[in-house]
Amino acid sequence: EVQVEESGGGSVQVGGSLTLTCTASGFTLDDSKMGWYRRIQATGNECELVSTIDNDGTTYYLDSVKGRFTISQDTAKNTVYLQMNNLKPEDTAVYYCAAVPPQPLTVASFEKLTRSYEAWGQGTQVTVSS
């Protein structure tokens, strides 16, 4: 069974840091492109693509997180990480890990993403307070 599980969320103050972890099972990162989405409660069901990493190490970042977030992976552990530094209140969201297609949706409803992507986790809450 294809699965991913996120962890590492929490509550931090502005400027703080968190590292999110996504552990994959049922497939290998060597064959997959992985991504992190976030679902911002204020926008309802809309999710935005935060970052992706290809199996060759190529990365993508949402403009608003460039220079603050770093995605990485450990193929031996079949795990993807999202290091988040200098967190801002607008980063508050539920963060989801997913195995994504070569050209993933950058913005989509939560329902569309969960229907479209086979490996979709339960999410981890990140709350940044001022």
Side-chain angles (χ1 to χ4, degrees):
E1 183 181 2
V2 175
Q3 288 184 324
V4 295
E5 182 174 357
E6 307 93 341
S7 61
S11 297
V12 296
Q13 292 189 326
V14 170
S17 298
L18 287 171
T19 300
L20 305 185
T21 300
C22 170
T23 302
S25 59
F27 66 102
T28 65
L29 298 187
D30 288 336
D31 300 325
S32 304
K33 178 172 182 170
M34 299 297 294
W36 287 94
Y37 281 90
R38 64 186 180 188
R39 182 182 184 185
I40 299 176
Q41 284 87 334
T43 65
N45 279 334
E46 185 173 277
C47 296
E48 59 184 1
L49 182 63
V50 176
S51 182
T52 63
I53 186 165
D54 288 62
N55 52 14
D56 65 356
T58 302
T59 58
Y60 157 86
Y61 296 98
L62 180 67
D63 282 347
S64 62
V65 308
K66 284 181 180 177
R68 301 189 296 121
F69 290 12
T70 302
I71 192 170
S72 62
Q73 61 185 6
D74 184 335
T75 55
K77 295 181 179 180
N78 227 34
T79 300
V80 180
Y81 305 95
L82 187 67
Q83 173 69 43
M84 306 186 297
N85 298 326
N86 191 22
L87 282 161
K88 303 177 180 181
E90 52 265 40
D91 296 319
T92 295
V94 180
Y95 284 72
Y96 298 90
C97 173
V100 300
Q103 294 182 329
L105 297 168
T106 54
V107 178
S109 70
F110 180 75
E111 287 74 19
K112 182 175 179 66
L113 291 173
T114 55
R115 287 198 308 269
S116 301
Y117 297 163
E118 184 178 14
W120 185 264
Q122 294 300 308
T124 185
Q125 175 73 48
V126 172
T127 303
V128 185
S129 58
S130 56

